[in-house]
Amino acid sequence: MRRFATGVCVVSTFVDLPDGRRHNALTVNSLTSLSLEPPLVSLSLRRGSGFLADLMASRLWAVSVLDADSEDLARIFARPEGERRRALDGLPAEPGPSTGALLLDSGAWLECRYRNHVAAGDHDLVIGEVVDLGVRNSADNSAPNSFSPLIFLHGGFHRIAAPTTGDR
């Protein structure tokens, strides 16, 4: 699987506690599109993780699709859970309009509602219906096809240049 290139995302969720909402976020490279009608995606999450427990409690999550300039975010949210939670306090993020899960500054985003899950070895495959989505274009990168993704390959992060106008 080291030879299979994947996109990199940060997935966020939350738990509502008596003293307020506690957010959690995690770097993943397991986002998969499952269906267009209805719009379904899946995530593969390690069984027993605190993040999976929070996601199953809220049954809501957001996905921030990282671009080539977001390796620092990917590394932050690949750290242990306590460090990830502390990092959320200092980063620009906003609650998604449909779920309230945090959206980070990223090239594209999805918001999902739990639909189902399947046990798969030591992970759970969590399936969600996409309830909202969007893209962000920076001022210097506003062409619709100019997204340069961050990918994971051979155990490290890599970048793919955005296509030029003639590459469509």
Side-chain angles (χ1 to χ4, degrees):
M1 294 310 297
R2 291 176 58 84
R3 295 176 184 262
F4 181 69
T6 61
V8 182
C9 306
V10 172
V11 179
S12 67
T13 192
F14 59 86
V15 175
D16 286 324
L17 301 170
D19 59 340
R21 182 166 281 181
R22 183 191 72 206
H23 291 276
N24 198 347
L26 178 70
T27 298
V28 301
N29 65 342
S30 63
L31 178 70
T32 303
S33 173
L34 294 179
S35 170
L36 295 177
E37 191 55 47
L40 300 175
V41 296
S42 70
L43 298 169
S44 179
L45 300 169
R46 185 179 47 81
R47 190 171 303 117
S49 72
F51 184 85
L52 177 60
D54 288 352
L55 186 146
M56 295 302 284
S58 72
R59 296 186 175 240
L60 299 168
W61 67 92
V63 179
S64 299
V65 179
L66 300 185
D67 62 21
D69 295 328
S70 299
E71 182 177 339
D72 56 337
L73 288 176
R75 290 190 182 283
I76 287 168
F77 293 104
R79 294 178 183 159
E81 188 169 346
E83 292 180 44
R84 297 189 323 255
R85 287 181 199 234
R86 284 189 296 278
L88 278 172
D89 293 335
L91 290 172
E94 60 190 44
S98 296
T99 65
L102 293 178
L103 296 169
L104 302 175
D105 186 19
S106 63
W109 55 272
L110 308 167
E111 289 184 272
C112 302
R113 182 175 293 120
Y114 174 87
R115 180 82 173 254
N116 196 3
H117 74 279
V118 178
D122 59 358
H123 281 61
D124 280 352
L125 185 67
V126 181
I127 300 166
E129 182 168 358
V130 177
V131 296
D132 209 346
L133 55 93
V135 297
R136 293 192 175 117
N137 291 317
S138 65
D140 61 337
N141 203 10
S142 59
N145 292 329
S146 64
F147 183 78
S148 296
L150 182 66
I151 63 166
F152 194 74
L153 177 67
H154 291 292
F157 296 106
H158 303 274
R159 289 143 191 81
I160 295 178
T164 61
T165 11
D167 289 344
R168 293 186 192 159

